Amino acid sequence: MSELHTVNKSPFEKGSFDNCLGHVLEGSAVLLIEDGVYAAMKGTSTEAKVLAAKGVKFYALGADVKARGIAADRVIEGFEIVDYAGFVDLSAEHSKVVAWV
Amino acid sequence: MSDIKKFLYLNRRAPYGTIYAWEALEVVLIGAAFDQEVSLAFVDDGVYQILKGQDTAETGMKNFSPTYSALGDYDVTQLYVEKESLEERGLTVDDLMPLKWEDEDDDWAERDSIRVVSREEMAKIMEGQDVVFSF
């Protein structure tokens, strides 16, 4: 069964994002929330890690993306932006949620 | 020795995930009333504090980013932003709010408050302070 992994810390400040990527299996999903959404931005020193994750679906919470001034065209292609209801749907669709805090 | 001390507020955190950025602004605004030489530094995730286009409406949090534009009115006119911190995050100075101050000695001419400096220059700026407050 596929898992939903959430990351809520900046990839530049904490290791949560790297730790998460190290444990995500193919077919699972990663949802970035709060300061985690900075990892969804293009052109950063961490972008290559997202692009290298094969078979993993990436999501970011739109409210947190907008709050932080990240314009839609600055989000890495392949990311799906979801709202709070989408967060609930993702949680329900996956067999469990693993939170990397 | 002069009574005026050089205070640097070192901002290292992103704006909304923790309370640090907001608390730093509060302390800067209070401190600005005491006629010291005050400057701000934005390094690491602190550069995200002054990214333009922040819109917190959907999160229910206060968008305090417009407060940075008011710093000039409090004579806080020196904002140092570290170039390497911007680059690691895929940002340039154009992604930041255009923060200005008005020079009363020059017919209120608008001047840029933001100065992009290298990590090495930032280290020297920090060395040149009397007090560094880290947030």
Side-chain angles (χ1 to χ4, degrees), chain A residues 14-90:
Chain A
K14 291 238 162 71
S16 316
F17 181 67
D18 283 343
N19 300 149
C20 169
L21 288 187
H23 297 85
V24 173
L25 297 172
E26 228 177 288
S28 286
V30 174
L31 168 63
L32 304 181
I33 60 173
E34 301 170 13
D35 284 350
V37 299
Y38 290 122
M41 219 173 162
K42 272 185 203 164
T44 72
S45 57
T46 65
E47 182 183 16
K49 295 173 185 173
V50 172
L51 299 176
K54 299 291 174 213
V56 176
K57 187 86 188 83
F58 282 96
Y59 300 88
L61 190 62
D64 289 332
V65 169
K66 279 191 216 166
R68 286 158 181 78
I70 303 172
D73 64 356
R74 301 295 290 273
V75 174
I76 297 169
E77 277 91 14
F79 261 91
E80 190 175 322
I81 302 296
V82 296
D83 58 12
Y84 288 109
F87 187 166
V88 174
D89 289 341
L90 283 171

Side-chain angles (χ1 to χ4, degrees), chain B residues 9-121:
Chain B
Y9 295 84
L10 181 64
N11 295 289
R12 294 187 47 249
R13 314 277 189 138
Y16 301 107
T18 64
I19 199 69
Y20 288 96
W22 171 239
E23 291 285 324
L25 259 185
E26 295 239 56
V27 174
V28 168
L29 291 174
I30 293 165
F34 288 91
D35 283 341
Q36 303 296 318
E37 192 180 326
V38 171
S39 55
L40 272 61
F42 297 88
V43 304
D44 302 333
D45 279 354
V47 299
Y48 287 136
Q49 293 178 24
I50 49 175
L51 217 57
K52 62 183 170 196
Q54 297 175 39
D55 176 5
T56 61
E58 287 178 34
T59 65
M61 287 184 290
K62 181 186 171 70
N63 179 0
F64 55 81
S65 67
T67 311
Y68 295 97
S69 304
L71 289 173
D73 300 333
Y74 289 86
D75 291 328
V76 178
T77 61
Q78 299 179 81
L79 311 186
Y80 301 106
V81 179
E82 190 176 89
K83 187 167 174 279
E84 287 85 344
S85 295
L86 287 174
E87 287 171 355
E88 286 159 10
R89 290 159 184 78
L91 303 172
T92 69
V93 71
D94 293 334
D95 294 310
L96 306 178
M97 293 185 279
L99 303 175
K100 312 268 189 199
W101 63 284
E102 292 177 330
D103 189 348
E104 64 177 307
D105 297 330
D106 187 14
D107 198 23
W108 304 100
E110 276 202 337
R111 307 211 183 282
D112 288 325
S113 297
I114 291 176
R115 293 169 213 189
V116 177
V117 298
S118 70
R119 191 159 278 166
E120 192 180 345
E121 288 168 319

